[in-house]
Amino acid sequence: MSASVLSSALAGVDAFPVEVEVDISGGVPKLTTVGLAEGAVREAQERVKAAIKNSGYEFPNRKITINLAPADTRKEGSSFDLPIALAILAASTVSLSPERMHNYLIQGELALDGRIKGIRGALPSALLARSKHYAGIILPRENAAEASVASNGTAVLGVETLRDTVDFLEGLREIEPYASNVGELFTAASQYDVDFSEVRGQEQAKRALEVAAAGGHNVLMVGPPGSGKTMLAKRLPTILPAMTFEEAIETSKVHSVAGLMDGRALIATRPFRAPHHTISDAGLIGGGTVPRPGEVSLAHNGVLFLDELPEFRKNVIEVLRQPLEDNRITIARVMGTMTFPASVMLVAAMNPCPCGFYTDTQHECTCVPLMIQRYRSRISGPLLDRIDIHVEVPAVKYRELTARTPGESSAAIRERVNRARGVQLERFAGTRVFCNAQMGARELHGHCQVEAAGERLLELAINRLGLSARAYTRILKVARTSADLDGGGPIEARHVSEAIQYRSLDRPAP
């Protein structure tokens, strides 16, 4: 006897269909799994056997062959437990409805007592079920909310036990499809527990972050310990434009594959990821025998914050060069090549010198010029060129700390950012460019014409500072954003001046 069940496996952040085939024949009792099954899939044999017996069914004491097709593609994870168990039951004594078995995509990890546990990648699997026009997807109850946001008419059936699933496939009971209210999810996610009004002083740094948010630019903040660099960075997502549904789905797919949804149905706020400086290069950009997304991909459509940037190992931060240019990461391994999305705003922070007090008027710096030069040289020129804005964050004065008047709120700043982004969306309509930071050579030539006074200022700055061609284009992009915040008019000398002052680390070290 033989039977088959539809399921899926993950390749990067997308799912592909897998047919779980089971054949039961005479011979020495043995359970064999073929089809390039990785460790967790091979271990499913023992979980499936115990779950079937503890759910009240008879496990066939015969030769059982399990094939995961396509057989030339590796499969990993525990989501094949449930389809394997159902295929074994269908091929032995339980009469499951062939129509239901072949019209639903089925996933789930089995506990030994027959309960169904949550899995990774429920959202990509739901998107696959929708694209293949399946009647629905059957998966663990705790993943139902996540899968339902992308169902768009495809039934999402959350199950809790193996017996519940068998009863449904036998036609003995019905399961109510799970439905999510996407509007309510976005409304609930739009509330932040931090606000820019809580930041005292640092008006120049706030302005720099506003420009960064308006144009999608990368930022490096330089200042002594305790000046508020981390506080400012954590509040950057509160002034970024609200996520669109498509962006939320893209971001949620990455978190779903990484198993980091934590019961949420949708990632509807822009992510803020702040890895520790001891992270490895694989942890930052992704990797492993079976590649998984790293911190850069988990920050997709959000903010990646690297505090104490010079303390990161050089080989780790250097791998950021390609993702910052291409907005994606391609990882090649023996088992295949995976591409993960990585459209992030990089926000980094560092001290001006090893002791941290070089720019602090209240503390004496104990570093000699050679120490400062070595400290700053931990960040390579090519990486520094890819950071559009360098802003100094000085120590906050007592009068600013104790001021009773709150600063400008995130809502007020976000309103200006949204207006500037609206100008850019209109400008780049019909292209794959969505903000100034993504402009290529063609867009720079077409949209970044500078008035005569600004041209003279640019020429003087480039000759004095010895800026690279990449730094020149970054200045043009930031100047374009500064002009967009003023309504989207031509780039004037004041806009160029503001962009140049955001290149402080291009100036010679003391």
Side-chain angles (χ1 to χ4, degrees), residues 305-383:
F305 178 51
L306 302 182
D307 201 3
E308 304 294 347
L309 184 63
E311 303 301 329
F312 284 78
R313 292 195 296 274
K314 193 161 188 175
N315 69 300
V316 173
I317 57 176
E318 288 303 310
V319 298
L320 286 173
R321 291 192 200 176
Q322 181 256 342
L324 291 179
E325 288 288 331
D326 300 339
N327 294 328
R328 65 180 184 273
I329 293 169
T330 301
I331 301 172
R333 294 291 184 269
V334 174
M335 57 80 64
T337 300
M338 304 286 186
T339 298
F340 297 108
S343 179
V344 301
M345 276 186 64
L346 173 65
V347 179
M350 62 177 285
N351 294 330
C353 65
C355 77
F357 298 115
Y358 174 66
T359 58
D360 192 344
T361 58
Q362 303 300 316
H363 297 84
E364 182 180 358
C365 176
T366 60
C367 304
V368 298
L370 182 60
M371 293 171 62
I372 298 175
Q373 185 178 9
R374 285 177 176 171
Y375 180 74
R376 293 188 177 184
S377 67
R378 296 180 189 176
I379 308 168
S380 69
L383 179 61

Side-chain angles (χ1 to χ4, degrees), residues 381-402:
L383 179 61
L384 205 58
D385 271 353
R386 288 168 169 80
I387 301 177
D388 306 2
I389 296 175
H390 314 156
V391 60
E392 295 184 6
V393 185
V396 184
K397 294 181 173 58
Y398 176 79
R399 183 175 299 176
E400 294 173 331
L401 274 176
T402 57

